[in-house]
Amino acid sequence: MIKRKKFAAWVITTAVGLSAIVPQVSAAVNFTDNGAATSYKTAVEELAKQNIISGYGDQEFKPNQNVTRAELAKMVALALHVELNTTGKPALSDVTSSDWYQSYAGALVSIGAMKSEDGKFQPNKPVTHEQLIEVAAAVLKVDAAQLKAQFGSAFVSGKFATRGEAALLVYAAQQIAPVQITSITPLNAITLQVTFSAPLPKENTDVDKAKANITFDNGLQLLNIPQLKSGATQTYIVPVTPQKEGTTYTMDYQGKTSMTFTANTEKLELRSAQQISADTFEVESSLEDGVADYGYVVAAYSSSRKGAFIVDENNVYNGKQYNILSSMRDKQVYITPEGGETMTANYVLFTQATDGRQAPKFRLPNGQTFKPGVKYTVTSDWADIASATFTAKEIAPLAIQSAKQVSETSIEVTLTEDPKDELFAVRSVTLTPVGGGAPLTAQYKLTSRKGATGTFDLQNGAKLAAGTSYTVASVDNWATAAGVTVTTK
């Protein structure tokens, strides 16, 4: 068994103007006086789950009791992620360091969202409807009218706001607040764990949009969509390019919020590398060694991944800590033949765990194949591989058995046997008209494989000509195709 390095969990708390103290989600709180018919019921429940509000010893929330300035300061500061660092905050003569509301009061006064009078905060003073709206609007930097609308006809000028009304308005403010980065934990050289102030919009499930929204400096790049951790509401596994030793990075979200963190260059400890085809090899890791493919612990795969489990905020499950192997999309490793030059091998899309194993596949550069009897060693910027050397075997190329037309822009290609993984990925074939003519190129449609058969789409807007026979051949000799043709309708 591979001995893992001690896990390094650095939670970064250097957000400018925002708190990195994230309210932890807890079990639902069933206040006995939070009635089903009340307008604030959902708001109270949701803020209680986030540990933003609390009740009294007998499980009462006392929603009809006037909210105080101290209570409001806590609710707003935690719900809207106001920076709680008290360094340089104004001194308040009626607030001591031992008061539970001290950091909240200081933070809200410091940013001008709440006022002091003659150096006093007046923590027990009730708050009017207008003041409640003004405080939340000041933190969000929005027009107060936008929040006043949440009151509707219940708004009464000069009336003291209740705890229930405060919960309702603060929760509404949360919904319109821009998404903020609240903490970043670099888990290893290629994986970040990032918590936001709210769940990310669905647009971030598109790779290009996610890359536009999430950017880094100093050359670091997002490689795939952030994946929500199972059991979490706003904490994501974020795959990045390898971080560089001693580098401080800034992460931006939508260009409106940023946070810095120091690189973690800890490499993932993988088990072995082995050849699986004439030009492809895999690098395997194991849960037993404390390395978990992200597919086991993210919500997107929780129902489909056999053996999926939920880790806590420190990535511990059943007393065992796991280092998370994030998405391999656009990842590279290096492979060196004994006595030869090092080559760069690229990850083969959708092969990270498609065969039920933590064994992403990597492919040699186009046209390159393994030379039988030669030893090859795999190295990486992001992983240490315990058994990194293997001796290449004579493995015959895949063989195309037949092809048939699906439409005027695609064909199905069937191999002589099921490759049992996405070995079609990033492969292409040519279709050359029998009797002469320019060949067409068709590329495999990712994840279209059904057993030995995969769909290939014509490229560059090309279409198959009706009543024509085409000879099928693989590009770069990834498969043989003796006399395989397709005749169109």
Side-chain angles (χ1 to χ4, degrees):
M1 182 178 293
I2 301 172
K3 183 178 180 182
R4 293 187 63 241
K5 296 177 182 177
K6 184 177 180 181
F7 175 75
W10 298 294
V11 178
I12 310 304
T13 59
T14 55
V16 178
L18 297 168
S19 173
I21 301 177
V22 186
Q24 297 298 312
V25 176
S26 62
V29 177
N30 296 314
F31 293 119
T32 58
D33 54 358
N34 190 34
T38 60
S39 60
Y40 48 75
K41 180 179 188 298
T42 298
V44 169
E45 289 177 347
E46 293 301 317
L47 295 181
K49 287 179 185 177
Q50 299 175 50
N51 288 335
I52 289 170
I53 61 175
S54 56
Y56 294 83
D58 52 3
Q59 289 193 309
E60 287 185 324
F61 179 64
K62 298 188 178 181
N64 297 318
Q65 181 173 290
N66 289 342
V67 68
T68 66
R69 283 169 55 84
E71 291 169 338
L72 179 61
K74 176 186 177 183
M75 293 170 67
V76 170
L78 292 182
L80 303 182
H81 306 282
V82 176
E83 172 61 65
L84 298 182
N85 184 356
T86 57
T87 303
K89 296 291 188 291
L92 300 168
S93 61
D94 56 349
V95 178
T96 68
S97 60
S98 62
D99 289 327
W100 62 265
Y101 49 82
Q102 182 259 342
S103 61
Y104 312 124
L108 270 293
V109 171
S110 177
I111 64 173
M114 296 184 80
K115 308 296 182 183
S116 62
E117 294 183 15
D118 298 324
K120 294 183 177 181
F121 181 69
Q122 303 179 79
N124 298 315
K125 186 176 180 179
V127 178
T128 65
H129 283 183
E130 291 100 330
Q131 290 167 340
L132 175 59
I133 291 168
E134 289 168 1
V135 170
V139 173
L140 290 180
K141 294 181 173 60
V142 300
D143 191 321
Q146 191 173 349
L147 289 173
K148 183 179 178 180
Q150 300 299 324
F151 267 107
S153 60
F155 177 84
V156 177
S157 180
K159 181 182 178 182
F160 290 134
T162 66
R163 283 165 56 84
E165 289 172 333
L168 180 65
L169 189 83
V170 169
Y171 183 62
Q174 260 194 342
Q175 309 317 300
I176 66 173
V179 176
Q180 311 280 1
I181 304 167
T182 57
S183 71
I184 302 174
T185 304
L187 301 180
N188 52 58
I190 56 170
T191 309
L192 305 180
Q193 180 170 291
V194 182
T195 298
F196 296 86
S197 60
L200 293 178
K202 290 184 178 179
E203 66 178 18
N204 291 287
T205 57
D206 177 90
V207 175
D208 290 336
K209 288 182 179 178
K211 287 184 176 181
N213 286 335
I214 298 173
T215 58
F216 302 87
D217 63 358
N218 292 326
L220 196 67
Q221 296 180 23
L222 179 75
L223 291 183
N224 205 346
I225 61 174
Q227 291 284 2
L228 180 68
K229 285 181 68 174
S230 296
T233 59
Q234 54 220 47
T235 297
Y236 294 79
I237 298 299
V238 178
V240 293
T241 51
Q243 299 164 62
K244 297 178 182 178
E245 181 75 39
T247 303
T248 297
Y249 295 102
T250 298
M251 176 179 172
D252 291 320
Y253 182 69
Q254 294 187 330
K256 300 175 183 177
T257 176
S258 63
M259 180 172 286
T260 60
F261 62 96
T262 301
N264 178 359
T265 55
E266 178 188 359
K267 293 185 176 183
L268 288 136
E269 296 180 348
L270 311 184
R271 281 197 170 187
S272 61
Q274 48 268 334
Q275 177 189 4
I276 60 168
S277 78
D279 63 355
T280 305
F281 62 97
E282 66 183 15
V283 180
E284 187 175 17
S285 59
S286 173
L287 289 171
E288 293 180 2
D289 301 330
V291 175
D293 181 85
Y294 76 108
Y296 281 110
V297 299
V298 297
Y301 304 118
S302 59
S303 60
S304 59
R305 183 68 178 264
K306 185 179 180 180
F309 52 95
I310 298 177
V311 292
D312 65 14
E313 65 274 12
N314 295 315
N315 297 314
V316 174
Y317 171 70
N318 270 352
K320 187 181 184 72
Q321 192 171 58
Y322 291 92
N323 207 353
I324 308 301
L325 180 68
S326 57
S327 170
M328 290 288 98
R329 186 186 181 98
D330 292 336
K331 293 291 194 302
Q332 299 174 329
V333 295
Y334 308 106
I335 185 165
T336 306
E338 189 173 33
E341 295 185 1
T342 298
M343 297 175 284
T344 299
N346 293 307
Y347 168 65
V348 181
L349 289 170
F350 294 99
T351 64
Q352 188 157 346
T354 46
D355 55 0
R357 301 158 55 239
Q358 296 184 169
K361 314 301 185 277
F362 293 85
R363 187 162 291 152
L364 299 180
N366 288 342
Q368 295 287 331
T369 57
F370 287 110
K371 297 178 181 178
V374 174
K375 289 184 178 180
Y376 290 81
T377 300
V378 180
T379 55
S380 170
D381 294 332
W382 50 270
D384 287 326
I385 306 169
S387 298
T389 299
F390 60 87
T391 300
K393 302 175 183 177
E394 182 73 56
I395 299 179
L398 301 173
I400 299 174
Q401 177 176 282
S402 62
K404 70 175 184 178
Q405 180 184 12
V406 175
S407 69
E408 64 180 359
T409 59
S410 63
I411 65 171
E412 281 186 349
V413 172
T414 299
L415 303 177
T416 55
E417 60 181 271
D418 185 355
K420 301 187 184 303
D421 208 331
E422 287 293 283
L423 296 189
F424 277 130
V426 203
R427 303 291 198 185
S428 297
V429 296
T430 56
L431 294 93
T432 305
V434 175
L440 307 177
T441 300
Q443 188 173 62
Y444 173 64
K445 182 180 179 180
L446 289 168
T447 72
S448 69
R449 181 179 67 88
K450 295 180 180 178
T453 301
T455 300
F456 285 68
D457 293 330
L458 269 66
Q459 303 296 291
N460 303 317
K463 295 182 179 180
L464 296 168
T468 303
S469 292
Y470 295 86
T471 299
V472 178
S474 68
V475 176
D476 292 326
N477 300 315
W478 61 269
T480 60
V484 176
T485 60
V486 57
T487 300
T488 60
K489 300 175 182 178

